[in-house]
Amino acid sequence: MDLNLDTLYYHLGISGDYLDYRGQARQIPAFVREHALGLMGVADDEGTRRDKQYQLDIAPWLYPLPAFSVVRGQSLSFYLPAEHHYHQVTCRVELESGGEFQTQDLPIASLTLSGNYQYQDVTYVRYQLPLEGLAVGYHRVWLMLDDERTYVGDVAVCPDRCYLGEQPARRLGLNLQLYTLRLTENLGVGDFADLRALIKHLAPLGLDLIGLNPLAALAWQDEHSKSPYAPSDRRFLNPLYIDVAGACDALGIDKPADALVPDFELRARELRETSSVEWRQVAKFKYAVLAALYQEFVAQDSAWLDHWRDFMGHNGALLRSFCDFEVQYNPFGEACSGDAEFHGFLQWLATQQLEACQAFAIEQGMSVGLMADLPVASVGSGHEIATNPDLFVQNADIGAPPDPFSDTGQNWGMPPLNPSVLRARHYDHFISLLRSAMCGAGALRLDHAMWLQRVWWCVQTELGPSGLYVYQNVEEMLALLALESQRNQCQIIGEDLGVVPDDFRAMMRNYGMLGNALFYFATDVSDCFLPAQAQRDDALLMVANHDVPPLRAWWQGLDIDQRLQYGLVDEHSAKSQRHSRAVQKQQLIALLHDHDVWPDLAVPQACDEALCLAIYRFCAKGASPWVILQLDDLVGADTPVNIPGTFLEYDNWSRKLPGLDLADIQGPWSKLFEQLALDRASV
């Protein structure tokens, strides 16, 4: 077998070109592709590369039944030489539930052929074995050829589409960063008590969905750790979101929350009244409170102890591994920090409260409830990657190529998955990510959903920094996503902003996923805002999200000033963006006027409450099945929670919202949502 680098690159997903955000073709230099090959563990010698090519390109045709198959449809692939002596194939399936699917005997000559491969003068063919009636799920297959040879493999039988639930024509939702809330007497960071209060007051207004930032555990060993999109492990929760007072009541703890540690009220008030979340100070205090709660809990003879132990046992080795990691690297929790079961207790408590919030949302009449958010990656120093070193690629970071937000592109500083290793491990890590993210959620938003198809790798070569796209087996990953979505009855929204190939959006539609449009980007090729009826009808429409400025800041151009201030764009780019923004504002006002939501064609100096409402109403008149407002806009925020491309330059992921009296604002907001519902119904 001769070495063919293009074949090797194809199977490893290493791209040779791509289209940039302007639609221009960009070639990936050969030395960058070679560098990526080395990062994937393929050594720079011909023998090793031939072995890898054989393993990926040829070997799958030589063994009759793959060790793991992803099936979407009603047939399973198996492989034989074209000139074989077998006449009959017998298939027996052991169901995931423990039962046995009917055994079937079929003449091989009756089966459909779906491909062939030539190797060393032998032709190998792929047969399709029908599996009609087999339930979706993870099963084991025995394949017998003329009672001579038996082969065993696992199969994931996947549905055609993700879970859709009931789909009324048009719905409203609200998006927020949970940690920014100050609705209750929390301990310095918005928690599940704040979320429950929000649900109680807003669900009756006609909201069907509340979208949350990722709630995943942070890497506390890093003093700068705070971004919900850069967690330690996406499969575990951040205990800072636990409602301590609610936990005391639910678990029957004899002490009230404010008696768990000295100076509770003073320290809680100081942390609550800061304008930004003081993450490490909050963590130091709240973990101490949670440790005291844990000690009270284990000292009591309560039936809840059995529930906790069941949770620990059910989650097994993975939870134990995370708890051991926290013991080693989490500096908080005082006397309990070295107790692995303490960290397991926190995961149990956080999971219980999140699920209770989702149940409460449904009880209050929300059709979907909470929308969780799954980040694209985790930090290299965290548990997820430290315990899976072979699954993630060191010396590469996930990011984005140059775009209007950054002339130099973005590097998010988190290692990417190795696609071929993920596939070789039967996607077990991907499946565990999905199951964890869907816990306590009626919908799941996939941040940068394009990572299911391709990921931009930022690499440092001998000639300097560079980048390239690396591709996944997108059809198999989408099929598994559909399977887990159906099993967990969780709708799927894929954030498909930025440079997204048309074929990926087509696949999303095919699998029953909604896209995630953004008001700011609902424009044509000239950057003019689209009329409401021309907006996407296959996407959840957000007015804003965590990576763009609130409406008031956008109107003033504060985001452009900040990008210039932090060196993300130069003066020339900033000037061009300011000019474009002025044109956009004028065109938007005309559009709002045409849609009967704004009285005249004068362009206001500032974006006040009336203009915000007009923009909301314009969005509500559009074609999207979902319109999601941003809580930041409702309360008049004018500073962003995050400026993409910055790290320490701006205090990302910390800014709080002002304290709100929900009882006072429920009336005005009720009128707002009634108007938006009328606008939606009139379309």
Side-chain angles (χ1 to χ4, degrees):
M1 179 194 75
D2 294 330
L3 174 63
N4 187 320
L5 274 180
D6 285 338
T7 298
L8 191 54
Y9 288 148
Y10 169 79
H11 284 290
L12 291 172
I14 298 173
S15 63
D17 54 41
Y18 71 98
L19 296 179
D20 67 12
Y21 72 95
R22 296 187 183 93
Q24 296 179 349
R26 301 286 182 181
Q27 296 296 315
I28 304 298
F31 73 90
V32 176
R33 303 179 81 192
E34 288 262 357
H35 185 77
L37 203 59
L39 294 178
M40 290 182 176
V42 182
D44 186 14
D45 68 84
E46 187 168 331
T48 299
R49 293 181 174 186
R50 276 204 310 268
D51 289 345
K52 193 68 173 179
Q53 179 180 328
Y54 175 86
Q55 172 192 344
L56 297 173
D57 187 55
I58 299 171
W61 291 88
L62 307 186
Y63 190 79
L65 185 63
F68 179 72
S69 300
V70 177
V71 173
R72 183 180 182 235
Q74 296 293 322
S75 63
L76 171 68
S77 296
F78 72 97
Y79 305 82
L80 289 174
E83 300 297 327
H84 61 79
H85 63 276
Y86 300 115
H87 298 89
Q88 180 173 279
V89 59
T90 300
C91 176
R92 181 168 67 87
V93 180
E94 180 184 349
L95 299 176
E96 181 182 17
S97 60
E100 184 175 317
F101 185 66
Q102 64 188 43
T103 300
Q104 55 178 340
D105 301 311
L106 296 168
I108 292 179
S110 69
L111 302 180
T112 301
L113 292 174
S114 61
N116 63 80
Y117 191 92
Q118 188 84 17
Y119 177 64
Q120 292 185 342
D121 298 327
V122 177
T123 299
Y124 296 86
V125 294
R126 179 169 55 222
Y127 289 99
Q128 295 301 316
L129 181 69
L131 295 174
E132 286 92 349
L134 184 57
V136 298
Y138 302 92
H139 312 300
R140 177 150 293 179
V141 174
W142 277 264
L143 200 67
M144 289 154 280
L145 301 172
D146 285 353
D147 295 327
E148 293 182 14
R149 303 292 300 273
T150 300
Y151 302 92
V152 182
D154 293 325
V155 57
V157 178
C158 301
D160 289 335
R161 293 168 67 79
C162 295
Y163 176 75
L164 297 175
E166 296 182 8
Q167 293 292 313
R170 320 179 66 73
R171 291 187 281 193
L172 294 171
L174 186 69
N175 198 47
L176 58 101
Q177 303 285 309
L178 180 55
Y179 60 85
T180 66
L181 297 185
R182 286 190 278 192
L183 307 179
T184 66
E185 294 187 350
N186 62 50
L187 307 189
V189 61
D191 59 26
F192 291 130
D194 294 283
L195 178 57
R196 188 178 180 90
L198 198 70
I199 293 168
K200 179 180 178 181
H201 285 83
L202 298 191
L205 305 186
L207 285 182
D208 279 305
L209 176 149
I210 293 179
L212 301 173
N213 58 280
L215 305 179
L218 296 179
W220 292 118
Q221 68 274 25
D222 178 357
E223 64 176 327
H224 300 301
S225 182
K226 56 183 177 178
S227 170
Y229 291 92
S232 170
D233 194 315
R234 291 170 284 178
R235 298 165 297 181
F236 297 96
L237 294 171
N238 183 348
L240 296 193
Y241 292 115
I242 292 172
D243 166 21
V244 176
C248 287
D249 292 341
L251 299 177
I253 302 300
D254 293 334
K255 288 184 178 180
D258 58 9
L260 290 173
V261 297
D263 300 324
F264 179 96
E265 288 289 358
L266 175 62
R267 296 167 68 188
R269 185 171 62 253
E270 289 175 345
L271 291 168
R272 189 164 54 245
E273 291 178 354
T274 58
S275 59
S276 296
V277 177
E278 301 292 339
W279 283 100
R280 295 194 75 78
Q281 291 301 315
V282 170
K284 181 179 180 181
F285 174 55
K286 191 156 187 176
Y287 268 96
V289 175
L290 291 168
L293 171 63
Y294 169 68
Q295 290 174 324
E296 293 289 333
F297 173 71
V298 296
Q300 293 185 187
D301 184 15
S302 166
W304 284 108
L305 283 166
D306 292 334
H307 290 285
W308 168 47
R309 297 294 183 191
D310 289 344
F311 176 84
M312 296 290 290
H314 177 74
N315 289 278
L318 179 59
L319 177 58
R320 291 286 177 180
S321 172
F322 177 76
C323 293
D324 290 341
F325 187 89
E326 291 294 284
V327 165
Q328 185 173 1
Y329 294 107
N330 189 330
F332 306 117
E334 298 183 344
C336 295
S337 62
D339 184 346
E341 292 201 334
F342 164 60
H343 297 287
F345 168 75
L346 298 185
Q347 289 303 308
W348 171 66
L349 203 54
T351 301
Q352 292 281 109
Q353 291 193 349
L354 176 59
E355 291 179 340
C357 284
Q358 168 64 7
F360 183 63
I362 300 302
E363 177 187 312
Q364 293 297 302
M366 297 176 69
S367 64
V368 172
L370 304 180
M371 179 174 70
D373 199 339
L374 179 63
V376 68
S378 292
V379 295
S381 60
H383 175 263
E384 182 178 341
I385 292 174
T387 53
N388 292 281
D390 297 335
L391 184 57
F392 292 87
V393 177
Q394 306 304 316
N395 300 315
D397 292 315
I398 291 175
D403 59 29
F405 284 95
S406 175
D407 296 338
T408 58
Q410 299 177 41
N411 184 328
W412 302 330
M414 294 179 287
L417 283 162
N418 188 327
S420 64
V421 177
L422 181 66
R423 177 66 179 81
R425 294 187 181 181
H426 305 175
Y427 297 102
D428 57 350
H429 190 82
F430 177 59
I431 293 167
S432 72
L433 288 175
L434 295 177
R435 290 177 179 173
S436 300
M438 293 177 185
C439 176
L444 175 63
R445 174 186 178 274
L446 302 176
D447 193 46
H448 299 285
M450 196 179 62
W451 75 272
L452 299 175
Q453 182 184 52
R454 66 181 189 181
V455 176
W456 181 261
W457 287 20
C458 302
V459 298
Q460 184 70 34
T461 72
E462 292 181 355
L463 299 180
S466 190
L468 75 163
Y469 279 113
V470 174
Y471 283 78
Q472 306 270 16
N473 191 324
V474 62
E475 288 283 3
E476 291 191 339
M477 295 186 75
L478 286 173
L480 292 169
L481 174 63
L483 173 54
E484 291 300 323
S485 167
Q486 292 282 359
R487 287 162 73 97
N488 291 279
Q489 296 194 352
C490 186
Q491 299 180 40
I492 305 298
I493 294 90
E495 191 250 284
D496 56 345
L497 302 171
V499 183
V500 180
D502 291 339
D503 67 324
F504 181 68
R505 286 202 173 103
M507 283 188 284
M508 287 176 59
R509 289 192 295 271
N510 187 33
Y511 277 89
M513 297 170 60
L514 282 178
N516 184 187
L518 207 60
F519 161 71
Y520 295 129
F521 306 139
T523 58
D524 61 21
V525 294
S526 301
D527 278 341
C528 291
F529 285 101
L530 296 170
Q533 63 271 20
Q535 294 174 7
R536 292 178 61 185
D537 62 359
D538 61 349
L540 173 151
L541 175 62
M542 288 183 175
V543 175
N545 71 7
H546 58 273
D547 280 336
V548 298
L551 280 173
R552 287 164 176 80
W554 181 86
W555 193 265
Q556 298 298 125
L558 299 181
D559 56 316
I560 302 172
D561 296 341
Q562 288 169 327
R563 285 199 289 273
L564 178 62
Q565 176 185 351
Y566 298 122
L568 300 176
V569 296
D570 58 22
E571 281 283 2
H572 176 74
S573 294
K575 182 178 180 180
S576 175
Q577 290 180 26
R578 289 191 188 100
H579 173 73
S580 297
R581 183 68 52 84
V583 173
Q584 275 193 312
K585 287 161 56 176
Q586 189 171 36
Q587 184 257 335
L588 175 59
I589 288 296
L591 203 57
L592 298 179
H593 181 70
D594 290 345
H595 285 73
D596 297 322
V597 296
W598 189 250
D600 54 50
L601 296 177
V603 178
Q605 290 296 314
C607 183
D608 59 10
E609 184 176 322
L611 182 54
C612 282
L613 174 58
I615 292 173
Y616 297 160
R617 293 189 60 192
F618 169 71
C619 292
K621 289 175 177 287
S624 171
W626 280 95
V627 171
I628 310 298
L629 308 181
Q630 189 85 344
L631 183 60
D632 291 21
D633 292 326
L634 286 178
V635 301
D638 61 3
T639 55
V641 296
N642 173 53
I643 299 177
T646 64
F647 176 41
L648 299 179
E649 303 93 331
Y650 179 76
D651 192 17
N652 295 313
W653 314 112
S654 297
R655 186 264 288 145
K656 295 181 183 178
L657 292 176
L660 300 173
D661 187 328
L662 287 173
D664 287 344
I665 65 175
Q666 192 172 19
W669 283 13
S670 176
K671 295 178 181 178
L672 163 66
F673 285 106
E674 285 176 7
Q675 179 62 64
L676 294 177
L678 290 172
D679 289 329
R680 302 241 69 195
S682 68
V683 176

